[in-house]
Every structure is written in C-alpha cells, then in structure tokens.
Amino acid sequence: MIYIIDNFLQNNILSKLNNYLVDFKEFDTGNKKFWIMDSPENFTSYMTNKISNIENKKIINILSFFRIATDELDTDWRIHCDSIINNQLPERAIVLYLSEPGLDELNGTALWEHNEHGCKLEYEDLTSNKFDDLILNQANDLSKWKLSSVVGYKQNRLLSYPSNYFHSKYPNKCWEKGRKVFVMFYK
C-alpha cells in the first residue's frame, strides 16, 4: 500500500527544518554520491512516533536522513528499491518533501516497473548479486524500465511506500535551490 499525507508537519516545524537544512555534506558510497545531513535525534523520534500513530503499530527506524538534489548534484536516474538498508530488510520507506518546489513541469517521486521483476523486488528473489546488478548496472538504463506513475512533489507532503518498490526522483535533475527531503526506512 502507498499512502500520501499533505500538510504533514506543523508550519513552525517545517520552517525550522528549512532554516536548518543548509549544510549538506557529500557522502560517497563508492558507487554513488549523495548530499545528506543527519537528522537530529528529536526529529527522528518525532517522525517515528508520528508514523507509528498513523500506521497504528510501533515502527523501528533503520535509517533516516535529509537529502538534497539540485540541477548539478545527484542528477542520475538511479532507479532502485531499498530492499537492503544497513544489512536489514526494511518494510517501508517514506519521503517527506520539505523545500518549496522549483520546477513547473511534473516532478516528484517516480514508481517504475522493471522488465524482469515488475514493480518490486520480491524478498524471496533478493540476492546480493541481483540487488547489486540492479543498483550498479541497470539503475540508469531506461530501456530496462517502464514509468508506472509519479507522485507529485508538494512541499510538506509525506509519501510512504513498501521499501521493495522500484522508484526514483522525477525527473532526474532538480532545481537550482534544491529538492530537499527527509527519508526514512523502517520496519
């Protein structure tokens, strides 16, 4: 199940976050570079509690952080699923759009279908080799993918989806001031 909640944060919290999100650092995984900021513990706890209340069950955060993509930073398609995070298998992921939108054309989070695997990588099909091949060799090869839908970018919109769904930002390049999001993987 995918769900979307608009106006997720109170305006004062959203404003404080946008003032905080100014010092993104490059994080190099060896295969991909991201520009991220750590999430303060109090905000991570706030989000964990809020999502637990929405889903009516206790959730456990596996990893959370803030991320930016611009017209020059993080411009790959990088279609992927988040089936393995910190050597764990998360059940779900969220993206919370924080910055004001900066593109007039359709933008947000794309959901994709892979030519072989469909819309998600089933956990029983998950092997390190298969996962690595998808991430390293197929993530930017649009001939391997069919665009299924795009959840539109809107400031203060939360998107939650199963972590094994194939997705990417849309389009692959963002605006000059940057697409700033909060990301969390949880079970």
Side-chain angles (χ1 to χ4, degrees), residues 55-74:
E55 296 190 7
N56 202 28
K57 60 185 169 187
K58 182 173 173 48
I59 68 157
I60 299 167
N61 174 39
I62 295 173
L63 178 66
S64 58
F65 53 88
F66 297 101
R67 182 173 173 189
I68 190 171
T70 70
D71 56 340
E72 296 180 359
L73 302 176
D74 194 8

Side-chain angles (χ1 to χ4, degrees), residues 120-146:
K120 60 186 172 184
L121 183 59
E122 297 290 350
Y123 287 108
E124 55 268 12
D125 295 335
L126 181 62
T127 64
S128 292
N129 289 342
K130 188 173 286 192
F131 188 74
D132 289 348
D133 180 54
L134 285 166
I135 296 293
L136 301 175
N137 301 321
Q138 298 185 42
N140 288 303
D141 183 353
L142 294 183
S143 71
K144 305 281 185 188
W145 305 93
K146 177 182 152 196

Side-chain angles (χ1 to χ4, degrees), residues 22-38 65-69 72-74:
V22 295
D23 195 23
F24 289 87
K25 303 289 187 207
E26 183 179 300
F27 181 74
D28 191 343
T29 65
N31 300 311
K32 172 81 175 123
K33 292 181 181 180
F34 300 93
W35 286 263
I36 63 171
M37 286 180 64
D38 291 333
F65 53 88
F66 297 101
R67 182 173 173 189
I68 190 171
E72 296 180 359
L73 302 176
D74 194 8

Side-chain angles (χ1 to χ4, degrees), residues 83-130:
S83 297
I84 303 172
I85 301 291
N86 286 347
N87 295 315
Q88 295 187 55
L89 304 176
E91 293 174 36
R92 299 191 63 81
I94 63 165
V95 176
L96 174 59
Y97 306 124
L98 297 171
S99 56
E100 292 185 19
L103 295 176
D104 291 331
E105 67 262 21
L106 179 62
N107 66 100
T109 300
L111 299 170
W112 298 86
E113 290 185 29
H114 185 265
N115 291 345
E116 178 185 345
H117 300 289
C119 67
K120 60 186 172 184
L121 183 59
E122 297 290 350
Y123 287 108
E124 55 268 12
D125 295 335
L126 181 62
T127 64
S128 292
N129 289 342
K130 188 173 286 192

